[in-house]
């Protein structure tokens, strides 16, 4: 888990950390919003139930009011039967508020005693004993008939469906469905809602009038609107927006400028000039300060490199001057040895002076080649060194060996000064020994690379034969070249007519 998190970009890490930091607040906000939504929905459901009950009570109150007014009017009319009893009942009902004015009064046997012109005889009339009440629905006439029993007869009036609907809607304005059932007939007084509205509606069945009627009231269950949902969910939305804004600000103000600065540092080329801050690194002062600090560091490094380069160039010139002076001094020594050698009368003295002069000249050749190759700083090239050394050896050879041929087959290779000096002395010793021992024998010098870091130096001559037990010169010669091979940290390979040694060289 930690490894996966470490691989994420900084912006993603920041977004996750901010989200986790704000998660408790977000959860609390979500819980608060959810609780508020549940409470609001519960309140709306309770309101719908209260409207159901209020509508059924209003219908029952309307029926009770009509029944009471009708009972009083019928009792008064039947108590004093005369020609004006219907008029008396009409006047009694006229003073009662919200009561039907159309009625009929019947005798105990159901004979018609009094009827208003607008009243229509009910279908399916039911008997009501004295003190009792009977209710039934006339689906055709769209009315509810109320019959009350009084002493000496019965009275019936008619409540239209419109009056019932008006009474229900006076107390339940949101009602969308009202159905009345008398046990035989069931009629929808207010049309049933559509399927979608029924799915979001609350319907309740209520028994009224001592169970003679059942009223089914349908009230829509209101739910929160999109705006109300937005208000309730606003804390959670603010949590998400806060995390996104924090991520966006950090990405634009910090991460992207740092990436631009990183690319500028990665693509910086010291040879192209000074470091220039990239554009668009943002308003963050710290990032700008970081870029300026890097620019100052680059400037100091470049200044230090210039100083080191100048110091190195001065040292190189000094080394060249030293080698130049050493070469000149060695040439002066070689010239002095040559002058003194000419004044010596004995052959042994002349030979000794010549041998010393050849070795001094070999060392001078090494310093001269070091001086020539100093600019490249790649060491001493062995090909020109061996070529110049061979020419010098032929020029300083005794009269008897002036016609000795020295053949060269040398690969291009370079080595250090110490190796060059030892190799020059080694070649000088072998060539001198060959010329003095067998003047007419040709000499072949070869240099072959054997690997990236080594080369084999070989000198071939007929004079390189096995020594006799009493040959002191050959023993001395082998002792000298063995010591030089040891200085080269190589094993001397002595064969009949050939001597080889390995040299360390620089890569090609």
């Amino acid at each position: 888990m930690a490894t996966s998190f470490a691989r994420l970009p900084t912006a993603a890490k920041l977004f996750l950390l901010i989200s986790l930091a704000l998660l408790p607040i977000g959860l609390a906000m979500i819980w608060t919003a959810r609780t508020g939504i549940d409470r609001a929905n519960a309140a709306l459901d309770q309101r719908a139930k209260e409207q159901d009950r209020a509508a059924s009570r209003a219908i029952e109150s309307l029926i009770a009011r009509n029944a009471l007014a009708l009972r009083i009017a019928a009792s008064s009319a039947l108590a004093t039967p005369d020609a004006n009893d219907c008029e008396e009942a009409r006047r009694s009902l006229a003073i009662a508020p919200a009561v039907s004015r159309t009625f009929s009064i019947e005798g105990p046997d159901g004979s018609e005693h009094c009827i208003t012109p607008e009243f229509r005889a009910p279908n399916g009339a039911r008997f009501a004993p004295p003190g009792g009440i009977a209710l039934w629905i006339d689906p055709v006439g769209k009315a509810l008939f109320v019959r009350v029993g009084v002493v000496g007869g019965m009275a019936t009036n008619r409540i239209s469906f419109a009056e019932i609907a008006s009474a229900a809607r006076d107390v339940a304005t949101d009602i969308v469905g009202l159905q009345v059932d008398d046990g035989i007939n069931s009629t929808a007084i207010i049309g049933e809602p559509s399927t979608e509205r029924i799915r979001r509606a609350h319907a309740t069945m209520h028994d009224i009038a001592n169970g003679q009627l059942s009223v089914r009231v349908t009230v829509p269950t209101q739910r929160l609107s999109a705006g109300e949902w937005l208000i309730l969910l606003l804390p959670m939305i603010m949590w998400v927006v806060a995390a996104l804004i924090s991520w966006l600000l950090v990405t634009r103000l910090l991460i992207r400028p740092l990436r631009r600065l990183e690319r500028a540092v990665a693509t910086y080329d010291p040879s192209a000039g000074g470091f220039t801050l990239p554009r668009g690194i943002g308003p963050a002062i710290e990032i700008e300060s970081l870029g300026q600090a890097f620019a100052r560091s680059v400037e100091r490094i470049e200044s230090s490199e210039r100083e080191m380069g100048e110091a190195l160039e001065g040292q190189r010139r000094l080394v060249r001057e030293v080698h130049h002076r050493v070469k000149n001094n060695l040439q002066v020594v070689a010239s002095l040895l040559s002058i003194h050698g000419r004044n010596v009368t004995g052959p042994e003295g002349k030979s000794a002076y010549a041998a010393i002069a050849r070795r001094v000249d070999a060392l001078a050749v090494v310093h001269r080649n070091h001086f020539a190759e100093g600019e490249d700083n790649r060491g001493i090239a062995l090909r020109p060194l061996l070529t110049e050394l061979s020419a010098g050896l032929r020029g300083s050879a005794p009269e008897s060996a002036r016609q000795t041929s020295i053949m060269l087959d040398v690969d291009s290779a370079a080595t250090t000064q110490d190796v060059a000096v030892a190799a020059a002395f080694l070649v000088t010793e072998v060539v001198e020994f060959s010329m003095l021992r067998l003047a007419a024998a040709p000499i072949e010098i070869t240099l072959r690379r054997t690997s990236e870091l080594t080369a084999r130096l070989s000198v071939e001559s007929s004079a390189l034969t096995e020594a006799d037990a009493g040959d002191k010169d050959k023993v001395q010669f082998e002792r000298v070249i063995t010591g030089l091979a040891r200085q080269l940290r190589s094993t001397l390979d002595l064969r009949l007519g050939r001597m080889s040694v390995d040299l360390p060289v620089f890569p090609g």
Side-chain angles (χ1 to χ4, degrees):
M1 185 68 179
T3 305
S4 301
F5 181 77
R7 293 175 180 173
L8 292 175
T10 304
K13 293 178 183 176
L14 180 66
F15 180 74
L16 290 177
L17 291 176
I18 293 176
S19 300
L20 290 175
L22 296 177
L23 182 60
I25 300 175
L27 293 176
M29 291 178 175
I30 292 173
W31 179 83
T32 303
R34 185 62 194 176
T35 302
I37 292 172
D38 292 340
R39 289 178 179 175
N41 289 332
L44 293 174
D45 290 341
Q46 183 64 30
R47 181 173 179 271
K49 293 178 182 179
E50 290 177 357
Q51 288 197 6
D52 288 347
R53 289 192 294 268
S56 61
R57 285 196 300 265
I59 294 172
E60 188 173 29
S61 176
L62 176 64
I63 294 172
R65 189 166 57 249
N66 276 271
L68 179 61
L70 185 61
R71 189 186 302 276
I72 293 173
S75 297
S76 176
L78 293 174
T80 57
D82 55 24
N84 296 323
D85 54 358
C86 285
E87 187 64 26
E88 183 67 24
R90 189 179 292 110
R91 284 195 300 269
S92 177
L93 292 174
I95 62 176
V99 173
S100 176
R101 303 292 190 270
T102 60
F103 63 91
S104 68
I105 300 176
E106 300 88 13
D109 56 356
S111 59
E112 191 177 88
H113 180 72
C114 177
I115 186 171
T116 59
E118 301 85 359
F119 189 77
R120 184 176 59 82
N123 295 323
R126 301 181 182 182
F127 177 76
I133 185 171
L135 303 172
W136 70 94
I137 296 172
D138 181 12
V140 178
K142 295 183 179 181
L144 171 68
F145 286 95
V146 180
R147 172 167 284 180
V148 296
V150 295
V151 177
M154 296 179 294
T156 307
N157 74 348
R158 176 178 176 274
I159 304 175
S160 66
F161 284 174
E163 292 175 312
I164 296 175
S166 176
R169 280 178 169 160
D170 285 342
V171 295
T173 56
D174 297 333
I175 189 171
V176 294
L178 178 61
Q179 186 175 0
V180 180
D181 188 353
D182 63 357
I184 297 176
N185 297 310
S186 178
T187 303
I189 296 177
I190 298 177
E192 288 296 325
S194 63
T195 305
E196 176 63 20
R197 298 189 68 186
I198 289 176
R199 188 178 64 83
R200 297 183 301 168
H202 180 272
T204 307
M205 185 71 74
H206 298 278
D207 292 332
I208 62 175
N210 295 325
Q212 293 189 59
L213 293 179
S214 295
V215 179
R216 184 175 183 270
V217 183
T218 303
V219 179
T221 303
Q222 298 182 358
R223 286 293 180 264
L224 298 178
S225 63
E228 293 170 334
W229 270 97
L230 182 62
I231 294 174
L232 289 174
L233 296 177
L234 187 60
M236 184 176 64
I237 297 173
M238 291 175 62
W239 164 53
V240 176
V241 171
L244 290 175
I245 290 177
S246 301
W247 170 78
L248 183 62
L249 289 177
V250 172
T251 300
R252 290 188 175 273
L253 299 182
L254 294 178
I255 305 301
R256 289 186 180 178
L258 284 174
R259 286 177 178 171
R260 293 192 187 100
L261 184 60
E262 178 189 5
R263 287 194 295 269
V265 173
T267 57
Y268 165 65
D269 185 7
S271 62
F275 177 77
T276 304
L277 284 176
R279 294 182 180 180
I281 59 174
I285 300 177
E286 293 78 7
I287 297 179
E288 185 176 357
S289 300
L290 176 62
Q292 292 175 354
F294 181 78
R296 289 192 296 269
S297 299
V298 169
E299 185 178 355
R300 287 195 295 268
I301 292 172
E302 290 179 348
S303 177
S304 177
E305 288 181 349
R306 285 193 298 269
E307 293 176 357
M308 290 176 62
E310 293 173 356
L312 182 61
E313 180 63 24
Q315 184 180 8
R316 186 182 293 114
R317 291 175 181 175
L318 179 61
V319 171
R320 288 181 60 196
E321 182 65 22
V322 169
H323 283 286
H324 180 63
R325 292 181 181 274
V326 170
K327 183 260 298 181
N328 291 340
N329 293 336
L330 289 174
Q331 287 179 342
V332 171
V333 172
S335 299
L336 292 175
L337 289 173
S338 179
I339 294 172
H340 286 288
R342 286 195 296 269
N343 295 329
V344 175
T345 57
E348 293 182 358
K350 288 181 179 291
S351 177
Y353 272 105
I356 296 172
R358 279 191 290 271
R359 285 154 181 77
V360 172
D361 188 61
L363 188 57
V365 169
V366 172
H367 280 278
R368 184 162 52 249
N369 279 273
H370 191 283
F371 169 77
E373 297 292 334
E375 291 290 343
D376 296 334
N377 196 24
R378 294 181 302 171
I380 299 176
L382 292 174
R383 178 183 290 176
L385 172 67
L386 295 175
T387 301
E388 185 178 356
L389 182 61
S390 299
L393 290 173
R394 287 187 61 187
S396 62
E399 290 294 334
S400 60
R402 289 293 175 89
Q403 301 302 319
T404 302
S405 63
I406 301 177
M407 294 173 289
L408 296 174
D409 186 7
V410 181
D411 288 344
S412 178
T415 188
T416 63
Q417 181 184 2
D418 293 338
V419 174
V421 170
F425 282 151
L426 184 70
V427 171
T428 301
E429 291 290 339
V430 175
V431 172
E432 182 187 67
F433 177 79
S434 299
M435 289 189 302
L436 295 179
R437 190 154 182 110
L438 189 60
I443 302 171
E444 183 178 358
I445 302 174
T446 60
L447 180 69
R448 290 284 181 271
R449 277 188 176 272
T450 56
S451 69
E452 186 71 12
L453 299 176
T454 59
R456 175 164 284 255
L457 175 63
S458 301
V459 181
E460 295 184 16
S461 174
S462 302
L464 300 177
T465 57
E466 294 183 359
D468 297 333
D471 193 348
K472 296 180 179 180
D473 293 338
K474 184 65 180 292
V475 174
Q476 177 66 20
F477 164 72
E478 290 179 354
R479 186 183 297 116
V480 171
I481 61 174
T482 301
L484 291 173
R486 192 179 298 113
Q487 186 176 352
L488 292 171
R489 295 181 177 84
S490 175
T491 302
L492 184 64
D493 184 9
L494 282 174
R495 298 182 183 180
L496 186 62
R498 183 178 181 180
M499 181 277 303
S500 301
V501 70
D502 290 329
L503 305 179
V505 295
F506 294 140

